[in-house]
Amino acid sequence: MERNEILEKLNEIFRDVFDDDSITVTEETTSSDIEDWDSLTHITLISEVEDEFDIKFAMKEVVGMKNVGEMVDIIEREA
Amino acid sequence: MSFTTLNFLFFFAIVFWGYYLIPKRWQWIWLLVASFVFYAFSAWWALFYLAGTIALTYGGARWIDALEGKRKEAIKNCPKEEKSAVKKKFERKKRGVLAGVLVLLVGLLAFVKYTNFFLDIGFKLMGGEGESPALSLLVPIGLSFYLFQNIGYLIDVYRGQYEAEKNPFRFALAISYFPHLLQGPLDDYKAVSTALYASREFDDSLAVSGAKRAAWGFFKKLVIANQAASICNPIISAGGGYDGLSVITCMVLYAIELYADFSGYMDIAIGCSRMLGVPIAENFRSPYFSGSIAEFWRRWHITLGTWFKNYLFYPILRSKWCSSIRKGLKKHKYIANTLPNVIALCIVWVLIGLWHGANISYVLYGIYHGGFIVLETVFAPLYDKFHKKFPKVQKNVFFRMFRVVRTFALVTVGYYLFAPAAISLTKSLILSTFEWEWSEFVSFGYYNFRELLVVLFSTAVLVFVDAYGCREDRLPLSAWVAKQKAPVRYLLYIALIFSILLLMVYGGEAMFAYFKF
Amino acid sequence: MKRFFVKSVSILLCAFFLFYGMTALLLFGGPKAFAENYQQGYIYQYRALERAEGEKIVTVGGSNVSFNVNTDLMTSLTGIPAYNLGIHADMGYCYVFEDVEPFIGKGDKVIFPLWPFTKNDYGSTLIWITLEGQPDLIGNFISRHPVEALTSVGSFSLKKLYALTAGKFADGLKAKYGDETAWGYKASSFDPETGNMTYVREEPVSPYGVMLLNKFRFTPNNLSGWYVSYINGFIDRCRAKGAEVYLTYPTIMRESLAMTEEEIESYTSFAKEQFHAEFITDFLSVCYEYEDYFNIPTHLNSAGMDKYTAALANGLRNAMA
């Protein structure tokens, strides 16, 4: 898949999980950019992404992910 | 060795000067020796626990790494169909080593710290009367902290975040490093070890900044915490016999005392470490300015929260049965997402409570705080709807102040459980809170007038510093100080030291509150 | 690195000079904050001892001496000038013993109501308040215990600054809302010439029930090895100078004693064999009823004070005969 396809799909997921249609994620988006993105919603987000792309994140990736761009990297690699 | 003693000042002076005078390649060895000497001052027998847990963790991590190496080899050399079977075999082996070492480490902590607690519960459950059986076990100081540091490292290695440290002495240094040994912060292993093993030149600005930070910690502990403690501790230990307003005042004083004590210790640790050129993690970020309990725990004892998040909360949420709950309830999105969180939160908060001590009061304290966080999680969509409908409320300054005051009040009520650490005392303190007698409160006031004035003045300074620093977009006050001209800066430093000498309470009773955890 | 060393040391020294300079000023000069404080009684007693000439009786201890031994009466009953040294146990018995020893000479009689204490119990807080404006005594304290003195003197500055300013407000509150009497805890309770407590205490001020809340119990374990050798050392040194030490028991309200007869017997016989001096009274006969006491079970009112003094004078006369 292309990176911007992935990004678009992620955008949908983000909007769904955070129930906010105004969200637009870029490769630089981090958890401090989205108000409700905390440790509680992080796992929900991860699970939805895993379901959507049929991949499984390793624990170190879940914990170590710094921004959406890194998420895209992993998806690109695994999917 | 407590930080606020002359002994420690001499010790650190020697460590600091020696560090920059010796050949650079010995610097980390110097720190290792210093850390063990430091720990030996607390109790020489405790060195066995420290060395033992370090050796065990070091061995476990190396073994896991070796298995990982074997796995890579095996995968390279084996046919495609067998690849996943091989992978699974090695995963099982690695998990076995991890589980084995974790059982030993956690078992050690449980045995040393919690045996009597569980014996007591078991005894009472079986209807026993009188004193329950107990082993007389001495708990080595700092065990809860360096054991957690060890566990975090081992799990990180297992997860493949970094390779195990090959040099056992270097590993020992990262764990036993004296600034974070006894009360944390629970540092990120990679960050702190990289800094520790690097050799360094003397850096004037780091030394000055570190010294300022440590001095501020001394002020918080010797002046604010000790003075507040001298007023409120006798009343809290007595439990009863005081009027409501006095008790409430004491609980607020305890809130101030605990914060000043613990964060003061952190300031000294961070400051001393910075003077040695080693950055360690922040543990506090103006916590009493939080708007919610969840936010409070992101600002109070930050590294403990992060530790539990990384090594307990996330693993629970990512576990098979949490995932199956989420999948099973996929139709009801809200429940599917919220229920696993609530379950994980309950488990984590009971354990955070228990971590603080082998006492039912601490467990209840964990449940108290966890309860609010669960409520926040459960009602999150309602809050969101409300704030979307009335967006002005969130920005209103009075609403923000209300949230801060409310959070502080809730936390202070929680201290009714935490401070006396005995249910009977908690009960009588709560009952006393509702018996108001104005003349008794005035009595309390003038008997403690001097100490109250000192606490008031010093807390005002603390509030100013914290309020200044709690805004994310602004550097802390120390940065402002650094920009002033030399005479102004020196005057401020002299004023700080002068205040400490004038207002401090020094003495044997002045132990750090978090030492017993 | 040298710059950092020089900078930090100079800043520290600056702060120290400013602080200890101010402390010295407050200690030695300026307006007196504690002139009316109860601790002044100790200075009256000390100065009276300084002026004493010839043979004398000195009773040493804590407030169990100032409240319970009437030196005027003791003098008239025994014919020997009597002095007290001791007004508050929290000053530290070690401190009082160190102060009294230089004054003991040939022919003197020292009376000590046996009370256990620990090594290095210096109540520096109270000591500094007592020593305000007394340069010779300040010098003594610093030279005897420099570390203890210098680490504790800081709190004196705070107390004095407070007493001269906000403390007055607190005292006003206390006067308005608090106890009408300070229960004798004032400098004016003492005769400045003799150091004797002349404050008239007509009857108990604490209710009986409140008195009962304090219980007292002594066992041989309270008389530690260190304590016994400390007291015996004092006794031997006094004897070597030609003086004599007489032990007695402190007065405690009967009902506040949480000891059976056997326990009293075991305590007193243990004490008798351990100490190098004789006891001039026994344990129970100086323990009186509620009517003789004042605010706590170890402080007598004026009538009780005379009773206890007479018992000591009697015991002393018998022992000297």
Side-chain angles (χ1 to χ4, degrees), chain A residues 27-33 37 42 60-71 74, chain B residues 161:
Chain A
E27 302 234 355
E28 282 81 43
T29 309
T30 69
S31 57
S32 35
D33 295 321
W37 190 359
H42 185 62
K60 72 170 175 180
E61 290 163 340
V62 173
V63 166
M65 210 180 287
K66 287 197 189 36
N67 53 31
V68 174
E70 288 189 15
M71 202 188 276
I74 302 168
Chain B
Q161 259 172 281

Side-chain angles (χ1 to χ4, degrees), chain B residues 147-444:
Chain B
L147 216 94
F148 268 34
Q149 191 85 54
N150 273 318
I151 293 174
Y153 164 78
L154 188 67
I155 297 180
D156 283 348
V157 169
Y158 170 79
R159 288 177 180 169
Q161 259 172 281
Y162 40 79
E163 276 184 17
E165 173 58 51
K166 292 200 173 48
N167 184 325
F169 295 103
R170 287 199 162 197
F171 175 68
L173 172 59
I175 302 293
S176 65
Y177 182 51
F178 70 90
H180 76 190
L181 175 64
L182 297 182
Q183 291 197 56
L186 294 166
D187 282 297
D188 171 61
Y189 176 82
K190 202 62 187 166
V192 79
S193 55
T194 314
L196 276 174
Y197 307 153
S199 47
R200 51 184 38 86
E201 289 278 350
F202 178 81
D203 181 327
D204 187 82
S205 64
L206 279 182
V208 169
S209 149
K212 269 162 41 184
R213 187 75 191 259
W216 175 236
F218 276 95
F219 179 80
K220 276 178 169 170
K221 167 60 180 170
L222 289 173
V223 177
I224 305 179
N226 284 359
Q227 285 276 12
S230 70
I231 307 174
C232 67
N233 282 1
I235 294 188
I236 291 176
S237 340
Y242 288 90
D243 69 285
L245 282 173
S246 303
V247 171
I248 294 174
T249 308
C250 282
M251 297 316 290
V252 172
L253 284 171
Y254 182 81
I256 296 172
E257 175 209 333
L258 189 67
Y259 173 57
D261 189 299
F262 198 11
S263 68
Y265 188 98
M266 289 300 120
D267 287 333
I268 299 175
I270 293 172
C272 289
S273 192
R274 191 179 298 162
M275 286 172 82
L276 296 168
V278 179
I280 56 180
E282 291 290 337
N283 232 354
F284 290 91
R285 223 175 50 228
S286 311
Y288 288 146
F289 285 90
S290 307
S292 70
I293 297 285
E295 189 186 347
F296 177 75
W297 286 97
R298 289 195 288 271
R299 290 170 172 265
W300 175 282
H301 208 168
I302 299 172
T303 57
L304 187 75
T306 313
W307 193 97
F308 271 95
K309 179 187 79 174
N310 282 342
Y311 303 114
L312 199 64
F313 188 64
Y314 279 173
I316 293 177
L317 283 179
R318 302 272 295 157
S319 68
K320 277 201 231 44
W321 49 273
C322 253
S323 306
S324 54
I325 293 178
R326 203 176 287 120
K327 283 191 174 48
L329 294 167
K330 224 171 161 57
K331 275 190 271 180
H332 313 277
K333 186 178 112 165
Y334 168 72
I335 302 184
N337 288 333
T338 312
L339 185 60
N341 280 350
V342 170
I343 296 175
L345 282 172
C346 289
I347 299 175
V348 166
W349 278 99
V350 166
L351 287 175
I352 290 184
L354 193 59
W355 175 90
H356 279 87
N359 189 316
I360 192 79
S361 295
Y362 295 128
V363 178
L364 290 173
Y365 180 73
I367 294 176
Y368 174 81
H369 275 266
F372 284 111
I373 296 185
V374 166
L375 283 175
E376 268 177 66
T377 314
V378 165
F379 288 110
L382 273 173
Y383 290 150
D384 282 343
K385 266 200 208 126
F386 175 81
H387 285 297
K388 278 209 179 92
K389 219 169 166 193
F390 306 104
K392 285 224 183 98
V393 176
Q394 215 158 19
K395 300 203 177 62
N396 181 295
V397 75
F398 289 113
F399 179 70
R400 291 218 304 268
M401 269 174 23
F402 159 72
R403 292 183 78 223
V404 169
V405 171
R406 174 195 65 186
T407 307
F408 182 75
L410 288 174
V411 170
T412 306
V413 168
Y415 289 138
Y416 274 83
L417 281 166
F418 191 84
I423 300 287
S424 54
L425 288 176
T426 301
K427 253 194 242 167
S428 51
L429 280 171
I430 294 178
L431 288 173
S432 300
T433 304
F434 294 103
E435 290 168 7
W436 286 32
E437 178 61 61
W438 179 247
S439 64
E440 273 187 41
F441 181 58
V442 173
S443 245
F444 166 81

Side-chain angles (χ1 to χ4, degrees), chain C residues 121-312:
Chain C
D121 76 333
Y122 297 103
S124 303
T125 307
L126 278 177
I127 293 175
W128 285 121
I129 290 179
T130 315
L131 301 187
E132 181 193 33
Q134 314 285 342
D136 54 338
L137 295 181
I138 295 172
N140 279 353
F141 185 39
I142 297 181
S143 58
R144 290 193 323 227
H145 304 284
V147 175
E148 170 70 41
L150 292 175
T151 48
S152 60
V153 75
S155 63
F156 169 79
S157 304
L158 178 63
K159 291 195 177 70
K160 177 155 181 177
L161 286 172
Y162 169 75
L164 291 174
T165 57
K168 297 212 194 287
F169 172 69
D171 286 341
L173 275 182
K174 203 179 198 168
K176 195 164 170 202
Y177 293 98
D179 338 292
E180 328 78 55
T181 137
W183 288 353
Y185 287 101
K186 290 193 276 226
S188 52
S189 302
F190 296 90
D191 177 338
E193 288 301 310
T194 63
N196 192 25
M197 183 181 274
T198 49
Y199 173 63
V200 173
R201 312 180 292 287
E202 285 172 352
E203 51 181 21
V205 286
S206 284
Y208 182 61
V210 172
M211 292 269 226
L212 284 182
L213 292 175
N214 273 342
K215 289 280 191 257
F216 295 84
R217 192 160 175 271
F218 298 98
T219 71
N221 283 337
N222 295 125
L223 307 176
S224 69
W226 169 84
Y227 177 73
V228 170
S229 52
Y230 183 89
I231 300 292
N232 281 339
F234 175 78
I235 294 172
D236 296 339
R237 288 191 300 275
C238 288
R239 259 194 206 135
K241 288 196 270 187
E244 189 53 69
V245 176
Y246 298 96
L247 296 173
T248 177
Y249 288 102
T251 172
I252 299 176
M253 188 175 90
R254 286 263 158 142
E255 261 94 14
S256 286
L257 279 174
M259 295 168 80
T260 62
E261 282 201 25
E262 293 82 33
E263 285 170 325
I264 295 178
E265 176 58 39
S266 104
Y267 176 69
T268 52
S269 51
F270 180 79
K272 212 180 203 162
E273 67 180 80
Q274 291 294 311
F275 294 108
H276 295 173
E278 65 171 292
F279 282 84
I280 58 175
T281 66
D282 68 26
F283 188 91
L284 269 181
S285 64
V286 292
C287 294
Y288 308 128
E289 304 294 326
Y290 172 69
E291 291 73 36
D292 287 324
Y293 289 85
F294 184 56
N295 61 327
I296 56 177
T298 50
H299 290 174
L300 297 164
N301 56 36
S302 302
M305 183 193 214
D306 289 351
K307 224 184 204 169
Y308 184 69
T309 309
L312 293 187

Side-chain angles (χ1 to χ4, degrees), chain B residues 17 20 446 449-450 453 490, chain C residues 1 5 7 162 169 174 178:
Chain B
W17 295 113
Y20 290 110
Y446 65 65
F449 202 62
R450 188 187 76 240
L453 276 183
Y490 293 174
Chain C
M1 210 158 107
F5 178 77
K7 266 194 300 186
Y162 169 75
F169 172 69
K174 203 179 198 168

